[in-house]
């Protein structure tokens, strides 16, 4: 009965979530954590360490609190209402950024920095608390064999609209005086996020009749311990994701390096952001298609190699034109190491175990998420940006090697177990 409801609403849910993701991407283009927000913050500090933290803070906020909600989510039969309540805190902070930008007229640089990072932390935590119920809802309404193309389509929609947002943002940054240009970018982002929330609320989720085998908080935490002890495949997958944070480390530095070393103009920042988003649009669909047909592990390995090549190109770049290739590689790698890794996490365990796997898979890598950009910023401040890029390239190669040698695709392991049982 539940499966028939899922199949009946699959196309509808696919459509409304693609539209929702498109508006989320539009907002992300106006307030990119890789280009626009670092450029905004660079007006108040020249610390590479602080700027390197900008994309890390939302990732850390996304990862760190997930185990705090996972036990409650594991006992839910209906996820949507929880998603809608918590995701407000993922989308509303962009309005806060617009207000902070306007306060530049009244406050000193230190206060603006503190307010900006406070808003980024709020947004990251909003993502983290809403993540497990959202991912659990998606895994419930989309069959396993369709998850790759589903997430790929969401990513494609988000990044295609991000291109529009980024191009417009680049024009606003050029044509309007500071701080009104950044304030308008962030206001546009908040309006797009409001539309994203509305379309998310249109998702149709059937209510499960089966009860969770986990009845108490203690049973849930015991299940986490059991997963870490007995699931060797998941342990190595988590270790690979820890190392992969080194490969993601230089993303916020590419723009700053190109601006400071080669004189890239502000209008070019918008266009290079658009290139990044366009790359992620195409690679999200391609990697999702590869993941559905040949396994997400292969797509993840390809992304690690792309990250390593991107970092190496940045380290070798003789002029600003090389950064078009750098951002293409970075776009492919970021999609793989964030989106494909998230989809692969959904394939560990059954429906009731899934919140535990999601929580563990994200919370355990949170320390590396914050340590990697601190390390990258310290290297950039005390040695140079090129060394940061080479460390990241090594991290990407090590991640690919560990995935290839030690991790088996959980989807095919589950299929093999099913064949043995039958």
């Amino acid at each position: 009965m539940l499966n028939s409801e899922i199949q009946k609403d699959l196309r509808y849910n696919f459509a409304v979530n693609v539209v929702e993701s498109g508006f989320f991407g539009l907002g992300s283009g106006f307030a990119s954590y890789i280009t626009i927000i670092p450029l905004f913050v660079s007006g108040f500090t020249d610390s590479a360490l602080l700027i390197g933290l900008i994309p890390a803070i939302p990732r850390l906020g996304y990862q760190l609190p997930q185990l705090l909600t996972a036990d409650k989510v594991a006992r839910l039969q209906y996820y949507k209402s929880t998603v809608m309540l918590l995701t407000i805190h993922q989308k509303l902070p962009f309005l806060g950024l617009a207000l902070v930008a306007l306060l530049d007229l009244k406050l000193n640089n230190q206060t603006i920095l503190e307010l900006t990072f406070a808003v980024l932390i709020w947004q990251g935590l909003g993502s983290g608390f809403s993540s497990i119920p959202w991912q659990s809802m998606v895994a419930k309404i989309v069959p396993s064999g369709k998850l790759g193309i589903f997430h790929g389509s969401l990513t494609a929609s988000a990044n295609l609209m991000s291109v529009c947002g980024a191009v417009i943002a680049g024009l606003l940054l050029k044509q309007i005086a500071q701080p009104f240009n950044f304030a308008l970018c962030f206001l546009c982002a908040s309006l797009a996020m409001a539309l994203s929330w509305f379309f998310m609320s249109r998702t149709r989720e059937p209510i499960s009749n089966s009860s969770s085998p986990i009845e108490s908080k203690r049973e849930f935490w015991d299940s986490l311990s059991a997963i870490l002890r007995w699931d060797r495949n998941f342990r190595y997958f988590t270790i690979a994701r820890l190392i992969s944070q080194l490969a993601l480390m230089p993303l916020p530095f590419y723009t700053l390096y190109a601006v400071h070393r080669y004189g890239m103009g502000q209008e070019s920042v918008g266009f290079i952001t658009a290139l990044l988003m366009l790359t992620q649009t195409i690679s999200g669909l391609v990697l999702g298609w590869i993941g559905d047909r040949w396994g997400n592990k292969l797509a993840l390995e390809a992304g690690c190699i792309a990250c390593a090549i991107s970092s190496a190109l940045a380290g070798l770049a003789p002029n600003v034109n090389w950064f078009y290739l750098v951002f293409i590689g970075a776009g492919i790698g970021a999609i793989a190491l964030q989106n494909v890794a998230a989809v692969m996490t959904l394939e560990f365990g059954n429906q009731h175990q899934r919140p535990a796997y999601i929580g563990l898979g994200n919370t355990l890598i949170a320390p590396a998420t914050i340590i990697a950009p601190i390390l990258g910023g310290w290297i950039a401040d005390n040695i140079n940006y090129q060394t940061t890029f080479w460390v990241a390239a090594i991290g990407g190669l090590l991640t690919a090697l560990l995935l290839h040698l030690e991790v088996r695709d959980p989807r095919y392991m589950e299929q093999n177990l099913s064949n043995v049982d039958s």
Side-chain angles (χ1 to χ4, degrees):
M1 184 67 178
L2 184 61
N3 287 335
S4 64
E5 283 191 70
I6 291 171
Q7 292 295 336
K8 180 186 70 174
D9 291 328
L10 182 59
R11 288 187 178 181
Y12 170 84
N13 282 330
F14 195 100
V16 296
N17 278 275
V18 165
V19 174
E20 179 274 323
S21 187
F23 280 112
F24 186 89
L26 181 63
S28 298
F30 278 110
S32 169
Y33 279 90
I34 297 176
T35 54
I36 305 298
I37 297 178
L39 190 62
F40 172 67
V41 171
S42 69
F44 308 103
T45 179
D46 58 0
S47 170
L49 193 153
L50 280 178
I51 293 169
L53 286 175
I54 291 170
I57 285 175
R59 288 206 306 269
L60 181 66
Y62 171 81
Q63 295 159 356
L64 196 58
Q66 293 199 18
L67 282 180
L68 300 177
T69 59
D71 67 308
K72 295 180 177 63
V73 175
R75 295 193 292 273
L76 292 177
Q77 295 182 335
Y78 185 70
Y79 303 112
K80 180 181 162 184
S81 57
T82 303
V83 172
M84 299 313 303
L85 177 63
L86 295 177
T87 197
I88 291 172
H89 299 284
Q90 180 190 32
K91 303 178 188 300
L92 188 58
F94 290 96
L95 180 59
L97 280 178
L99 296 175
V100 170
L102 289 176
L103 288 173
D104 181 23
L105 298 170
K106 300 288 186 181
L107 302 177
N108 59 47
N109 288 357
Q110 181 64 29
T111 304
I112 292 294
L113 281 174
E114 291 171 357
L115 289 173
T116 299
F117 278 89
V119 171
L120 296 182
I121 291 169
W122 175 23
Q123 198 277 334
L125 290 174
S127 299
F129 282 113
S130 62
S131 174
I132 289 186
W134 181 79
Q135 291 182 74
S136 298
M137 181 180 73
V138 166
K140 180 180 175 183
I141 65 175
V142 180
S144 177
K146 302 286 186 181
L147 279 171
I149 196 64
F150 179 81
H151 278 272
S153 298
L154 296 191
T155 301
S157 174
N159 289 304
L160 190 61
M161 293 298 288
S162 288
V163 171
C164 301
V167 170
I168 298 171
L171 295 174
L172 293 176
L173 292 176
K174 181 181 179 182
Q175 300 295 333
I176 300 175
Q178 196 168 336
F180 301 105
N181 52 359
F182 284 107
L184 187 55
C185 285
F186 298 148
L187 179 60
C188 290
S190 67
L191 292 174
M193 291 296 170
L195 289 170
S196 168
W197 187 91
F198 171 78
F199 279 97
M200 181 180 287
S201 72
R202 303 297 94 192
T203 301
R204 295 173 183 170
E205 179 201 352
I207 298 177
S208 302
N209 293 321
S210 59
S211 60
S212 169
I214 297 173
E215 300 295 337
S216 69
K217 186 180 289 287
R218 179 172 181 175
E219 286 179 322
F220 175 77
W221 287 97
D222 286 344
S223 73
L224 299 183
S225 176
I227 288 171
L228 292 176
R229 282 200 312 270
W230 300 110
D231 196 335
R232 177 183 181 275
N233 198 45
F234 181 72
R235 285 202 310 273
Y236 276 105
F237 173 69
T238 303
I239 293 169
R241 291 192 68 195
L242 281 166
I243 300 172
S244 75
Q245 300 310 300
L246 287 174
L248 293 171
M249 175 178 68
L251 292 181
F253 301 130
Y254 291 149
T255 303
L256 298 176
Y257 183 66
V259 169
H260 296 152
R261 176 72 181 268
Y262 299 110
M264 178 188 288
Q266 285 194 348
E267 68 276 9
S268 298
V269 172
F271 289 107
I272 209 164
T273 303
L275 175 64
L276 175 69
M277 299 306 177
L278 183 61
T279 301
Q280 290 181 328
T281 300
I282 298 170
S283 60
L285 288 171
V286 172
L287 291 176
W289 181 78
I290 291 172
D292 282 344
R293 281 154 182 77
W294 294 297
N296 287 304
K297 191 184 90 156
L298 177 62
L300 197 52
E301 290 172 357
C304 293
I305 299 299
C307 259
I309 293 173
S310 172
S311 297
L313 287 174
L316 295 169
N319 57 62
V320 73
N321 293 326
W322 279 49
F323 279 84
Y324 292 100
L325 293 176
V326 169
F327 274 87
I328 289 173
I332 296 170
I335 285 294
L337 294 178
Q338 294 175 8
N339 292 32
V340 175
V343 174
M344 189 169 169
T345 303
L346 297 179
E347 295 179 330
F348 287 92
N350 56 40
Q351 178 181 337
H352 295 302
Q353 294 172 321
R354 194 167 293 125
Y357 274 101
I358 295 171
L360 280 171
N362 286 297
T363 300
L364 290 178
I365 68 169
T369 299
I370 197 68
I371 291 170
I374 290 174
L375 174 64
W378 183 88
I379 293 172
D381 281 337
N382 292 278
I383 306 176
N384 53 44
Y385 280 105
Q386 291 98 322
T387 304
T388 298
F389 302 152
W390 286 113
V391 171
I394 294 170
L397 292 175
L398 286 176
T399 304
L401 185 63
L402 182 60
L403 285 168
H404 187 72
L405 295 178
E406 298 293 345
V407 178
R408 298 175 61 190
D409 195 300
R411 184 194 312 166
Y412 298 128
M413 291 181 67
E414 183 179 350
Q415 290 176 356
N416 290 338
L417 288 173
S418 299
N419 293 335
V420 171
D421 292 340
S422 61

